[in-house]
Amino acid sequence: MKTYKCDVIIVGAGPGGSMAAKFCAQGGLNTILIEKKAEIGAPLRCAEGVSKKWLQEVGIEPDPTWICADMKGAIIRSPSGYQFKLDESKAGSEVGYVLERHLFDKALSRDAVEAGAKIMLRTSCTDVIRKNGKLIGIKAKSMGEDIEIHADVIIAADGYESQVGRWAGIDTNLELNDLCSCLQYRMVNCDADMEYCEFVIGRSVAPGGYLWIFPKGNGVANVGIGIMGTMAKKGEAKTYLDKFIGSDPRFKNSQPVEIMGGFVSTCPGMDCAVDDNIILVGDAARIIDPITGGGICHACRTGMYAGKVIVEASKNGDFSKAALMPYEKMWRDRMEDKLYRNWMAKERLAELDDETIDELVKLISDSDIKEVNVYNLLKVIKEKFPKVVEGFEDLI
Ligand SMILES: Cc1cc2nc3c(=O)[nH]c(=O)nc-3n(C[C@H](O)[C@H](O)[C@H](O)COP(=O)(O)OP(=O)(O)OC[C@H]3O[C@@H](n4cnc5c(N)ncnc54)[C@H](O)[C@@H]3O)c2cc1C
């Protein structure tokens, strides 16, 4: 059997894996990034919406190649049609670009290659390898051939369906209420506002989640829905999405040209995303915003942190859990409070009936928020509906 040897093996070439590969390779480590699919970034499983501010934080220059549309703002609508429209000045960090996600992912993998990482496509990790109890690499099927890749450390960047963490003995299980089932159509020839992302909330529209319209220009938009696992029966995402599209005149002459489904975890991250010789990043570590389901920025950040920590650990040749723990500290310091707060908010908002959601949206549209983000919205809600934020008031 063909056996490869490297310093770091990264499983999954999504944003988390490519960022990790870039930082490991930049730090002088012999880095292999494997991807089970034949093409990085395809098929699409994303609504492609991102805010702008974090790009600088992870060293990504905005590039017209992968920016499909630059948003002016966002619209949030309640079931009875109350809405508030946020212009960019007010929408602050919550508004940004609609991406060409397949090109974005490819751009990140190109950066990893430029830094010196080796990419192996159509290479699917099938298990981890242990020697005397210690993780020493992975097994994979590469272009139909069984191979082994031996490495000092593994980065599991294998997304929502992550198996690598589980194979390594890490508990990656999710509660049903921390699971959102999603369906999206790429609609063409629609009359949606091409400058604003739209979010529709409410139990009768998207139980425990929301419905989105993310425009891509020229009458094209990603129109999708995410609903909470405990509040939906099998196949119901389609029923809700079809009902919305069928009843909205903006889609009267519109047709879907692409359909995709997927799952998003909506917990506040896993208990510990590190063990001896392994780090989990991005969706594999369940590090994703529980309220928006946005995970691209979290994957990029955690990929970068993992790369930096491993480069540091390599200086002492120590990849034990203790040596890799700075990774835990880094992501928790940066994101844990926000993830936890948004997780609590998600749980509470899911309990509200449509009338209360109408009230909330009215309240927010009448309020004088300087910059609209989840934090400020919760502050307004806290004043009028303290019950909604009971138990996590101190985070607001
Ligand atoms: C319907 C939907 C809409 C979304 N919309 C948005 C949005 O608008 N904005 C946003 O920020 N986030 C969105 N997300 C979430 C976002 O897509 C993820 O958070 C993000 O892709 C996480 O990046 P990642 O690198 O951790 O994982 P992924 O992007 O999932 O990458 C994992 C990679 O690992 C590969 N892989 C898996 N198993 C193996 C294996 N055994 N061997 C080799 N390779 C493997 C996969 O093929 C994949 O390429 C959405 C998710 C869904 C499902």
Side-chain angles (χ1 to χ4, degrees), residues 12 15-16 35-37 46-49 101 125 157-158 260 283 295-296:
E35 170 53 53
K36 70 176 175 187
K37 292 179 301 198
C46 187
E48 304 180 290
R101 173 75 197 265
C125 177
D158 48 339
M260 66 91 190
D283 278 13
I296 299 171

Side-chain angles (χ1 to χ4, degrees), residues 55-161:
L55 288 164
Q56 201 186 7
E57 183 186 334
V58 297
I60 299 175
E61 269 296 306
D63 181 343
T65 331
W66 45 254
I67 297 171
C68 178
D70 194 345
M71 293 295 99
K72 263 199 180 156
I75 295 168
I76 300 184
R77 272 177 47 199
S78 74
S80 307
Y82 294 107
Q83 68 170 54
F84 65 101
K85 196 169 185 174
L86 319 164
D87 284 322
E88 200 171 2
S89 59
K90 267 196 153 191
S93 55
E94 305 297 319
V95 161
Y97 302 124
V98 177
L99 303 175
E100 284 300 352
R101 173 75 197 265
H102 69 112
L103 296 177
F104 176 77
D105 283 18
K106 285 186 187 77
L108 296 191
S109 59
R110 181 206 58 211
D111 291 349
V113 170
E114 271 174 19
K118 175 182 163 68
I119 294 184
M120 295 170 72
L121 292 178
R122 273 209 176 140
T123 303
S124 181
C125 177
T126 53
D127 206 348
V128 295
I129 309 171
R130 286 186 187 273
K131 192 174 175 188
N132 302 326
K134 186 184 168 195
L135 280 178
I136 58 151
I138 61 152
K139 292 181 182 174
K141 210 161 207 62
S142 184
M143 301 282 195
E145 191 191 343
D146 288 325
I147 61 164
E148 289 192 354
I149 305 177
H150 293 186
D152 293 327
V153 61
I154 302 170
I155 298 181
D158 48 339
Y160 163 78
E161 289 104 344

Side-chain angles (χ1 to χ4, degrees), residues 10-18 34-37 39-42 45-51 54 97 99 101 105 120 122-127 138 140 156-164 167 180-184 210 212 214 222 225 260-264 281-285 287-289 292-300 302:
I10 299 164
V11 181
S18 286
I34 66 165
E35 170 53 53
K36 70 176 175 187
K37 292 179 301 198
E39 182 183 342
I40 288 172
R45 256 202 326 192
C46 187
E48 304 180 290
V50 287
S51 58
W54 61 276
Y97 302 124
L99 303 175
R101 173 75 197 265
D105 283 18
M120 295 170 72
R122 273 209 176 140
T123 303
S124 181
C125 177
T126 53
D127 206 348
I138 61 152
D158 48 339
Y160 163 78
E161 289 104 344
S162 178
Q163 306 223 64
V164 176
W167 291 328
C180 213
S181 124
C182 305
L183 183 72
Q184 175 177 280
Y210 66 91
W212 66 81
F214 288 178
N222 290 333
I225 189 169
M260 66 91 190
F263 290 93
V264 168
V281 303
D283 278 13
I287 301 173
I288 178 165
D289 188 314
T292 64
I296 299 171
C297 66
H298 300 78
C300 288
T302 51

Side-chain angles (χ1 to χ4, degrees), residues 232-270:
K233 292 188 211 94
K234 198 164 180 265
E236 261 191 341
K238 182 173 182 321
T239 312
Y240 281 104
L241 185 57
D242 287 348
K243 187 173 153 205
F244 174 78
I245 290 175
S247 63
D248 191 315
R250 292 173 296 176
F251 300 104
K252 193 166 159 262
N253 299 312
S254 182
Q255 292 284 318
V257 292
E258 192 177 330
I259 300 180
M260 66 91 190
F263 290 93
V264 168
S265 64
T266 55
C267 64
M270 58 181 18

Side-chain angles (χ1 to χ4, degrees), residues 301-350:
R301 274 196 204 111
T302 51
M304 177 178 80
Y305 296 158
K308 287 185 172 179
V309 166
I310 287 170
V311 168
E312 212 40 48
S314 71
K315 292 177 184 162
N316 298 320
D318 179 4
F319 301 100
S320 63
K321 183 174 180 181
L324 300 179
M325 276 309 266
Y327 168 77
E328 272 292 296
K329 180 162 167 39
M330 275 166 123
W331 80 258
R332 287 188 189 282
D333 283 355
R334 177 66 184 82
M335 294 177 268
E336 187 177 31
D337 279 358
K338 188 175 170 190
L339 292 178
Y340 183 73
R341 186 195 68 207
N342 287 6
W343 176 68
M344 289 294 284
K346 171 213 74 169
E347 294 284 298
R348 291 298 156 71
L349 289 173

